Amino acid sequence: MCIRYSNDAVFSQFNLIFIFFIIMPILFGLSVMGFLYSFFFYEKVDALIFNHYLKNMRLNWQSWCQSSINLIDYHYITGIDNVSLKIMRFEGHSPTNPDKVIPISIIRENDRSPLFYLFDKILLPMKSKLNILSSVTIFLNTNQDQEVINNALMSYSQLNELNIHQSNITFSNTIPSIDKINDWIDDNSIQNILLINLLFDTETQLQVTEYCCALLFSNDEEVLNQSPLKINLFRSLNTNLTNFNKDLEYFLDSKQVQRGKINQAWTLYLPSPALHSFKATLFDPNSGIKLEPNKFYQLEINLGKLDYSHAWLALSLAADGIVKEQKGQIIATQNKDSINIMQLSDKTAYTPTKEDNIKGYYPTITCLSCLLLLFCICLTIIFSLEETDSEFLMQIGVFSLIAGLFIIGAIIVGTLYQRSSKEDDFIEMWFEEQDKISNSI
């Protein structure tokens, strides 16, 4: 038999007045205010979600820009000894050879094979690093005859026990653009790369300054741990004269190298408007870049007649700048019909942490408003009855718990659905705008 209690026996008259005329209006008022806030805040949800995805997409873009490959060794030769030290004014006088062609005269005067002499200068010094690589992909690019170069390289490698195998060599009579590095960054299947560029001729004078270089790249963690030299070559920007100013600002905003850490700049045959804009940006006191005027180097002034393939030489010279503790380097080169900009540093880039969650003010307040209103309804039901028993109170409690969980679940599901639909709308709008930009160029 259930024991019944009257409301008067459980609650005093004062408690009833306090609950019905003070507590209930406050709880009901708070729930109404929460609903009103949620209603007006709902219109801001679109902007909130849009900004959230926009920020994360920017961070994704920044992370993509900051992808890099490591330069772990490099050697080069030109017709000027210690050319980087002279250009950077660490040694002697800076060479000024505009409109001249500078040959590598010493290979013409050498009694032994000119190729063996070049390999002595650019390959033999990296023997120890080459031989710790389990496998290396070799890109051999030269204006010379393929069979002659291949035979000489293999003979030299066998004689000096270099880790170079014929099956790993890809030969080309054209020196590739420097933005080839972007392909290597994206190609995770290739971890160790040796680039060999040979631009010379012992019989006739070329139309451009001669140079030869070998650059060894790696993203193999085991190899990097054994290498004292690790220079980060970040993803390069390929732009054009029309979009140069805008793209340069975006490029610097990617923070591959912190603006204040850019200490030297190298250019190669930039068109006059691009050169002017490049200088204006780097020397602007409001840009955050603290580049000194004497650390801006135009290679065509120093090394005479060059072409776009000399960008690899510019990369080697910039690497010398890092070895000489000149911090971050930026290179801008003419690349046939486009302009290529690259940054390199001995430091890895810092990417801010992505935000995975949007602030949950809106669903939280909506949940609390619903639960307060449910609590008010339950209290009203309980105190509107003259008599209640413990079984009925338990039923009300269970009902309230189930109803509360249902409300919370419904709001969470609704919020997730809303975010998902807004994300789809955002991505669709983003690509529509991208198409508009692409079609307008």
Side-chain angles (χ1 to χ4, degrees), residues 5 11 25-26 38 77 169 188 218 324 333 376 380:
Y5 301 88
F11 299 98
I26 290 175
S38 299
I77 181 172
I169 298 176
N188 295 323
S218 180
K324 292 298 180 181
T333 66
C376 290
T380 303

Side-chain angles (χ1 to χ4, degrees), residues 370-371 374 378 396-410:
C370 291
L371 294 177
L374 177 63
C378 290
I396 290 293
V398 172
F399 169 79
S400 300
L401 177 62
I402 295 173
L405 292 175
F406 176 79
I407 290 170
I408 293 172

Side-chain angles (χ1 to χ4, degrees), residues 363-380:
T364 301
I365 291 174
T366 305
C367 282
L368 289 176
S369 301
C370 291
L371 294 177
L372 283 175
L373 183 60
L374 177 63
F375 185 62
C376 290
I377 293 172
C378 290
L379 284 180
T380 303

Side-chain angles (χ1 to χ4, degrees), residues 320-364:
D320 274 346
I322 291 178
V323 171
K324 292 298 180 181
E325 299 182 351
Q326 296 301 297
K327 300 182 181 178
Q329 309 278 316
I330 187 169
I331 305 169
T333 66
Q334 178 73 29
N335 179 18
K336 295 185 179 178
D337 296 328
S338 62
I339 297 171
N340 187 274
I341 307 176
M342 172 179 287
Q343 293 188 99
L344 52 156
S345 172
D346 60 340
K347 306 293 184 184
T348 55
Y350 170 74
T351 304
T353 305
K354 280 183 62 177
E355 289 187 7
D356 294 325
N357 297 311
I358 302 174
K359 298 294 184 184
Y361 300 138
Y362 166 70
T364 301

Side-chain angles (χ1 to χ4, degrees), residues 39 42 52 55 65 77 80 87 93 101 145 148 164 169 180-181 192 197 224 227 260 354 359 368:
F39 175 77
Y42 181 84
H52 169 77
K55 182 176 181 179
C65 288
I77 181 172
I80 302 174
I87 291 174
H93 299 286
V101 172
D145 179 77
V148 172
I164 293 177
I169 298 176
K180 182 71 173 176
I181 290 174
N192 303 305
N197 289 343
L224 296 178
S227 176
K354 280 183 62 177
K359 298 294 184 184
L368 289 176

